[in-house]
């Protein structure tokens, strides 16, 4: 089971609260409420270093999120799952070298799905931190080229978001600068 130090009173209280919130959310029948409660329960397990349980609850939260058609919540859960899978992979590799492969593959899958959905989030500015989270996961998985591509995509978005609105009067000046 769990080590006694991991189940101190605040941890137990957090787990009880998350469990009660899940019960209430299930009674409401609202997919986003259930998804949020499952995600909080997963975070409680992660705080206890019960990573496999945390991953299982995040997977359930993701299913509920998808059933409610909430792209933002789905993308956030995918990022959280990717980050957790990387932690699991490191844990497995530390115990038995080479055993983290399956968790790394799950991390990559979640990361790439999050990057695919990132362009559909409600706040275009939020796409940038999503891509940077994905980049970090891919880098930790050893996929440095893919991580660099995600960073480049985020940088392009940053540049386009900070660019002033198009002004036709600037066009001739741009041409002259380019000719130099």
């Amino acid at each position: 089971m769990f080590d006694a130090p991991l189940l101190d009173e605040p941890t137990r209280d957090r787990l009880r609260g998350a469990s009660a919130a899940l019960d209430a959310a299930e009674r409401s029948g609202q997919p986003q409420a259930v998804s949020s409660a499952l995600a909080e329960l997963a975070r409680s397990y992660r705080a206890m270093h019960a990573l496999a349980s945390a991953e299982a609850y995040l997977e359930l939260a993701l299913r509920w999120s998808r059933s409610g058609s909430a792209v933002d919540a789905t993308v956030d859960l995918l990022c959280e799952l990717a980050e957790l899978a990387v932690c699991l992979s490191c844990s497995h590799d530390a115990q038995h070298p080479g055993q983290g492969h399956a968790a790394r593959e799950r991390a990559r899958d979640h990361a790439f799905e999050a990057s695919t959905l990132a362009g559909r989030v409600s706040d275009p500015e939020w796409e940038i931190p999503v891509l940077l989270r994905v980049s970090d996961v891919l880098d930790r998985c050893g996929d440095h080229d893919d991580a660099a591509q995600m960073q480049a995509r985020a940088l392009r978005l940053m540049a386009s978001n900070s660019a002033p609105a198009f002004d036709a009067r600037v066009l001739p000046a741009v041409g002259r600068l380019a000719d130099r």
Side-chain angles (χ1 to χ4, degrees):
M1 192 123 196
F2 302 113
D3 294 335
L6 298 177
L7 290 177
D8 59 8
E9 194 60 35
T11 303
R12 277 194 297 270
D13 288 344
R14 181 178 181 180
L15 190 56
R16 280 189 209 112
S19 223
L22 177 58
D23 289 341
E26 286 175 336
R27 283 191 299 276
S28 78
Q30 297 175 350
Q32 291 314 309
V34 174
S35 177
S36 293
L38 285 165
E40 186 53 37
L41 192 56
R43 291 179 195 111
S44 298
Y45 277 108
R46 186 173 184 173
M48 296 180 339
H49 304 286
L51 302 183
S53 294
E55 185 179 38
Y57 280 108
L58 279 176
E59 288 284 352
L60 286 171
L62 181 62
R63 283 190 210 121
W64 277 94
S65 178
R66 286 181 171 144
S67 73
S69 302
V71 175
D72 290 12
T74 298
V75 168
D76 193 42
L77 286 168
L78 284 165
C79 287
E80 201 167 343
L81 268 165
E83 292 160 348
L84 181 61
V86 168
C87 290
L88 270 166
S89 134
C90 293
S91 175
H92 293 320
D93 279 339
Q95 293 171 7
H96 305 285
Q99 295 297 310
H101 179 73
R104 258 188 313 285
E105 286 302 314
R106 289 192 308 276
R108 287 181 183 104
D109 290 345
H110 295 311
F112 283 120
E113 186 177 356
S115 73
T116 300
L117 294 174
R120 295 179 31 207
V121 295
S122 60
D123 178 4
E125 293 287 323
W126 190 53
E127 184 178 359
I128 295 165
V130 167
L131 293 173
L132 293 175
R133 283 176 80 181
V134 166
S135 173
D136 181 56
V137 166
L138 293 173
D139 190 54
R140 291 173 63 197
C141 286
D143 298 338
H144 306 299
D145 291 341
D146 290 329
Q149 287 179 0
M150 292 299 159
Q151 286 179 356
R153 186 172 149 195
L155 287 171
R156 283 192 302 273
L157 285 170
M158 282 188 250
S160 68
N161 289 349
S162 65
F166 178 72
D167 184 350
R169 295 173 294 174
V170 179
L171 194 55
V174 171
R176 285 192 299 270
L177 288 173
D179 291 338
R180 291 183 186 171

